[in-house]
Amino acid sequence: MKQNILRGRDIISMADFSKEDILYILRVADQVKKSNPNRLLSGCLMGSCFFEPSTRTRLSFEAAMKRLGGDVIGFADSSTTSAKKGETLYDSIKIIGQYVDIIVMRHPVDGSARRAAEATDTPIINAGDGSNQHPTQTLLDLYTIKESQKSIDGIHIALVGDLKYGRTAHSLAQALSHFNVRLYFIAPPSLQIPPHIANHVKAKQVKFSFHEKLDDVLPKLDILYMTRIQEERFSDSMEYNRVKDVFRLTLDQLGAVRPSMRILHPLPRVREIDPSIDATPHAYYFQQAQNGLLVRQAVLSLVLGKIE
Ligand code: CP
């Protein structure tokens, strides 16, 4: 196995990762799964800085740290911090970086993770910055794709929903561009994938196409990656109301899909996957969320330099 390329490194954007880096992290996640090294991060302290709501990302990072013997300080509500008094993100992160060994940060502003990384030498893990990036979500998505399909190369995958504001779609499309995949971007025209992401995929010569409807594409898919319409990113509530229910996957749509097709969703879901689908073999989103713990254990162990 190659040397730890994540030791001391910030994890800000999937654009910073090669295919080799990604496969290395996924292999380490498998290694963590097999060895269950429960004291590996003993003595290490994580700052959990969530300026925006989260269930999975925050709690899986905190659980990952604690299950490996490490400790956590932080906040889930920035209104209880000095940000409320007007402290800049730069100053807050500079100080927090003096107290902890690693910082996991979620923030509503695009580019804030890169800005935080400029404030401190303590490694920053971007747990989602606005509508920009969510790199550890992508790592767990890729782990889940590989687990469910045996390989990432060769798959047909549709990203569906809010591809404009959905940071998980941006990170995942960039990461998939390293692989031999066929991509379908399915969204209303106003919520299609941003040109800089499409251009990134194009530059890697990955085949992709744009669609407004899901049903024609469904039978071709190995992975259906559903996403939520990101209500909190819309400045115009009328525009949100126009698109909020544009994709609502129901059981009757799954009649013609491949038996091995799996549905992923970064969650939370609102109305875009009917709960009746949960009991079908196609539903894989809860397993996906569970994999987040494992992949985040691998990421923390690598960045903290406790594993090769
Ligand atoms: N997938 C994800 O980021 O979920 P949370 O917003 O609950 O962290």
Side-chain angles (χ1 to χ4, degrees):
M1 193 170 277
K2 81 190 238 189
Q3 271 215 313
N4 182 355
I5 42 91
L6 257 65
R7 186 190 301 267
R9 190 167 151 185
D10 300 313
I11 300 193
I12 305 294
S13 166
M14 284 316 297
D16 302 334
F17 287 84
S18 67
K19 179 175 184 176
E20 202 186 12
D21 294 342
I22 291 167
L23 292 176
Y24 167 69
I25 297 165
L26 302 192
R27 278 198 301 273
V28 170
D30 274 333
Q31 192 183 322
V32 170
K33 186 178 185 178
K34 281 191 199 116
S35 59
N36 188 23
N38 60 8
R39 301 304 305 159
L40 192 66
L41 301 186
S42 175
C44 297
L45 185 59
M46 182 183 103
S48 177
C49 303
F50 279 71
F51 294 86
E52 193 183 60
S54 167
T55 297
R56 276 146 294 276
T57 310
R58 183 173 71 82
L59 294 176
S60 63
F61 261 117
E62 294 185 4
M65 195 69 190
K66 292 189 177 199
R67 286 193 179 278
L68 293 178
D71 217 334
V72 178
I73 59 168
F75 52 88
D77 175 2
S78 66
S79 71
T80 65
T81 73
S82 288
K84 179 85 177 162
K85 299 181 235 167
E87 185 170 53
T88 62
L89 177 67
Y90 187 94
D91 284 0
S92 296
I93 294 298
K94 193 169 187 66
I95 301 303
I96 297 166
Q98 293 169 355
Y99 303 153
V100 300
D101 303 303
I102 190 164
I103 295 173
V104 175
M105 188 188 89
R106 171 169 292 185
H107 198 281
V109 175
D110 292 26
S112 54
R114 193 79 73 191
R115 176 81 178 134
E118 288 164 8
T120 181
D121 291 334
T122 301
I124 299 284
I125 298 183
N126 180 6
D129 62 327
S131 55
N132 185 32
Q133 285 277 315
H134 194 349
T136 63
Q137 177 68 46
T138 292
L139 292 168
L140 76 89
D141 293 343
L142 295 172
Y143 184 90
T144 306
I145 292 168
K146 191 159 180 280
E147 178 182 72
S148 67
Q149 303 295 328
K150 309 298 171 223
S151 170
I152 302 169
D153 281 314
I155 64 160
H156 284 231
I157 175 168
L159 309 190
V160 182
D162 185 348
L163 308 184
K164 178 181 179 185
Y165 296 118
R167 57 195 172 203
T168 67
H170 303 166
S171 296
L172 184 57
Q174 283 184 327
L176 286 170
S177 71
H178 293 299
F179 295 85
N180 175 25
V181 297
R182 174 64 165 88
L183 270 168
Y184 304 86
F185 294 121
I186 306 179
S190 63
L191 296 181
Q192 256 303 351
I193 201 91
H196 76 279
I197 303 288
N199 289 338
H200 184 106
V201 174
K202 195 173 179 181
K204 296 279 189 173
Q205 298 179 331
V206 166
K207 273 196 187 159
F208 66 92
S209 46
F210 300 109
H211 305 263
E212 286 187 52
K213 300 258 181 283
L214 175 57
D215 287 321
D216 296 345
V217 175
L218 259 177
K220 302 175 185 167
L221 298 176
D222 301 296
I223 296 286
L224 171 59
Y225 191 93
M226 298 294 292
T227 67
R228 177 178 64 92
I229 307 294
Q230 308 272 303
E231 181 177 6
E232 65 275 28
R233 313 275 177 227
F234 282 75
S235 51
D236 177 351
S237 61
M238 276 170 62
E239 170 59 11
Y240 170 70
N241 286 331
R242 266 195 291 275
V243 292
K244 68 178 183 183
D245 288 324
V246 71
F247 297 110
R248 297 186 73 169
L249 190 67
T250 52
L251 206 48
D252 55 292
Q253 287 175 278
L254 301 183
V257 301
R258 292 180 178 170
S260 59
M261 190 277 281
R262 294 292 174 264
I263 304 164
L264 304 187
H265 191 310
L267 305 178
R269 69 174 151 180
V270 185
R271 288 171 297 273
E272 56 278 1
I273 301 177
D274 191 275
S276 62
I277 290 175
D278 296 359
T280 72
H282 301 293
Y284 213 74
Y285 26 91
F286 295 124
Q287 177 66 35
Q288 177 188 8
Q290 189 179 338
N291 287 339
L293 178 63
L294 184 64
V295 170
R296 290 180 171 125
Q297 283 180 320
V299 167
L300 289 168
S301 303
L302 283 164
V303 174
L304 288 164
K306 301 295 183 185
I307 202 167
E308 288 302 325

